[in-house]
Amino acid sequence: MKQFISVHDVLTPSSEGLSEAINNLIEKALAYKLNPFADKALGTGKRMGLIFLNPSLRTRLSTQVAASNLGMEAIIFNVDKEGWALEFEEGAIMSGNTVEHIKDAAPILGKYFDLLAIRTFPSLKNKEEDCSELYINQFIKYAGVPVVSLESATRHPLQSLTDIITIQEYLKTQQLHHKKQKPKIVLTWAPHVKPLPHCVANSFAEWMNAWGVGEFVITHPQDYELDEKFTKGATITYNQDEALKNADFIYVKNWSTYTDYGKMYENDPEWMLTNEKLALTNNAKVMHCLPVRRNVELSDEILDGPNSIVTQEAGNRVWAAQAVLSEILNAK
Ligand code: CP
C-alpha cells in the first residue's frame, strides 16, 4: 500500500478485487488483535509524524499505539495549536494570517519522517475546496513520503475500516451469516446541535458498497442526501422505521446538508435512536464513531444498553491502524 486516503488504496496486485482486498485487510487487523506484537520488528528504526489540524482522541491515540506495536516511533504535532499557520493555496500572496506555505513545510516533514499521517476537517463553507481535498492532497504532493489520512475533508477511512472489522467480528462470532444470506446494515442520520462534516457517513457508505457483504440501507430526512459518489449502490429512504426493520447493524451518525452545503435544516429529535425503534430491528448492534452527544444524537438507553458496541468499535481502531501501517511499511 502506497498511501491510505480512501478505500481504493486497499487494492493490491494480488487481490482479485476491492472486496477481497478489504477482507484481507480485515483478517490482518484481527490477527493483530490476537497477537499485537507479531510484527514488532517491522517498524524498528522508522518514524511516523502524526500531524493534526483538528482535535482527536481515538484516532490520535489508536494510531500511536498501532505504531508502537509495530516498533515504530510516532511523534505528534498539533500544528493548528503549536505550529505556524499554514497556507495551502498555490500562488497565494501571503499577506494575511498564514505564515508558512505547505510547499515549504511538507518536504521538511518528509525529511524528518518515514511516513506522515494527517488529520484535517472540511470548512463546510467552501464546497469546492472541501471536495477537492486541498489540504491532504497538498501534503501528498509535497511530503515525498507515504501519507495516511486520519480523517480528511470528505473521508475517514481508518474509521470505516474499523467499522467493518467490528461488523465482521460479529458476523463471525454470532454466525449471523448462517442465519441470513446477507446481514442488513443501516446507516441512519441522527440529530445534532451543529452542522457536522460528511466524512464518516461518506466513508462508511463507500466502504460498505465496496465490501458488498450486507444489504446496505441509508436513511435520513429529506434534503440530507450525501454525495452520490459515495452512496451509489445503497438503498436510500426517508422512512427511518422502514429502514430499521430487521436491521442487524445500525450505524448512527449526524451530517449536515450536502447539496445546499454545510447547513442544518432541522434537528428533529424523532430521528434519535431509542429502545422503541430498536424493537423494529433484528436485535441490531448499534455503532457510532464517537464522540457522541448523549440524548441528542443517541439516547442513554441505547448507549448504556446491551446492543451498543461503540466501545468495542473504538477499541478496534488500533487494529485497523496497525494493519494499514503494516501494509505501508511492507511496501516501502
Ligand atoms: N472517531 C474518531 O475519529 O474519533 P476522534 O475524533 O476522537 O479521533
Side-chain angles (χ1 to χ4, degrees):
M1 199 187 291
K2 301 272 184 242
Q3 60 175 24
F4 187 70
I5 307 301
S6 85
V7 71
H8 304 289
D9 294 314
V10 167
L11 202 56
T12 60
S14 62
S15 51
E16 284 207 348
L18 206 41
S19 181
E20 187 189 286
I22 292 170
N23 277 324
N24 291 343
L25 204 53
I26 295 171
E27 290 312 311
K28 184 166 191 137
L30 291 175
Y32 279 136
K33 188 169 184 172
L34 291 174
N35 192 357
F37 306 112
D39 287 327
K40 185 75 189 171
L42 186 61
T44 305
K46 300 271 195 275
R47 200 172 285 132
M48 176 179 189
L50 299 175
I51 313 296
F52 285 86
L53 284 85
N54 299 94
S56 167
L57 185 152
R58 281 145 289 271
T59 309
R60 170 181 166 155
L61 295 172
S62 61
T63 309
Q64 205 174 1
V65 171
S68 164
N69 288 349
L70 294 168
M72 180 164 55
E73 186 181 6
I75 294 179
I76 290 171
F77 183 32
N78 296 308
V79 68
D80 58 328
K81 297 183 187 73
E82 299 154 2
W84 301 114
L86 292 173
E87 175 62 57
F88 289 86
E89 288 289 348
E90 295 290 340
I93 298 167
M94 291 172 55
S95 56
N97 293 329
T98 54
V99 177
E100 179 159 32
H101 202 283
I102 190 68
K103 69 163 75 175
D104 299 315
I108 297 164
L109 296 173
K111 294 276 180 238
Y112 299 158
F113 300 110
D114 299 285
L115 63 148
L116 280 180
I118 319 290
R119 167 167 278 198
T120 71
F121 281 169
S123 66
L124 292 182
K125 292 185 174 70
N126 185 335
K127 185 176 186 175
E128 202 181 331
E129 184 181 286
D130 288 348
C131 292
S132 77
E133 290 282 8
L134 174 72
Y135 287 15
I136 200 154
N137 281 335
Q138 290 291 66
F139 273 104
I140 292 167
K141 185 173 174 185
Y142 291 115
V145 293
V147 172
V148 173
S149 169
L150 300 173
E151 188 168 353
S152 65
T154 65
R155 290 179 169 97
H156 195 351
L158 277 176
Q159 180 65 51
S160 307
L161 174 58
T162 303
D163 298 332
I164 64 168
I165 288 167
T166 309
I167 291 170
Q168 179 72 339
E169 268 187 321
Y170 271 93
L171 292 179
K172 279 182 169 181
T173 58
Q174 303 208 338
Q175 310 250 303
L176 270 171
H177 55 304
H178 290 317
K179 280 199 241 160
K180 279 191 191 179
Q181 274 220 312
K182 280 192 163 197
K184 183 173 179 184
I185 301 164
V186 179
L187 168 62
T188 181
W189 184 90
H192 205 279
V193 293
K194 61 176 196 172
L196 290 192
H198 311 97
C199 317
V200 170
N202 281 346
S203 253
F204 187 72
E206 185 172 50
W207 282 72
M208 285 310 306
N209 284 325
W211 194 31
V213 160
E215 177 197 348
F216 181 44
V217 179
I218 303 174
T219 183
H220 55 72
Q222 211 160 349
D223 300 322
Y224 276 85
E225 276 75 12
L226 293 160
D227 186 348
E228 211 186 38
K229 175 169 105 176
F230 302 103
T231 61
K232 203 165 184 205
T235 303
I236 300 170
T237 172
Y238 301 141
N239 186 333
Q240 191 192 39
D241 285 356
E242 191 59 39
L244 294 178
K245 262 184 213 159
N246 296 319
D248 297 298
F249 296 89
I250 309 170
Y251 200 93
V252 180
K253 186 73 185 86
N254 170 268
W255 60 87
S256 55
T257 53
Y258 173 71
T259 307
D260 180 21
Y261 194 60
K263 305 280 189 315
M264 196 174 80
Y265 285 159
E266 63 155 301
N267 204 18
D268 184 357
E270 282 299 309
W271 276 82
M272 185 176 73
L273 193 65
T274 57
N275 278 344
E276 198 183 334
K277 285 178 189 277
L278 196 62
L280 298 167
T281 72
N282 183 28
N283 197 25
K285 299 294 173 200
V286 179
M287 305 175 72
H288 189 286
C289 62
L290 305 178
V292 65
R293 297 256 184 166
R294 278 180 175 253
N295 302 311
V296 176
E297 218 180 342
L298 254 179
S299 57
D300 275 344
E301 64 181 12
I302 294 284
L303 279 166
D304 299 332
N307 292 63
S308 170
I309 56 169
V310 299
T311 306
Q312 176 186 336
E313 182 187 357
N316 283 339
R317 294 292 307 265
V318 171
W319 318 116
Q322 193 165 336
V324 166
L325 297 182
S326 166
E327 286 292 312
I328 291 177
L329 287 170
N330 274 318
K332 265 182 82 74

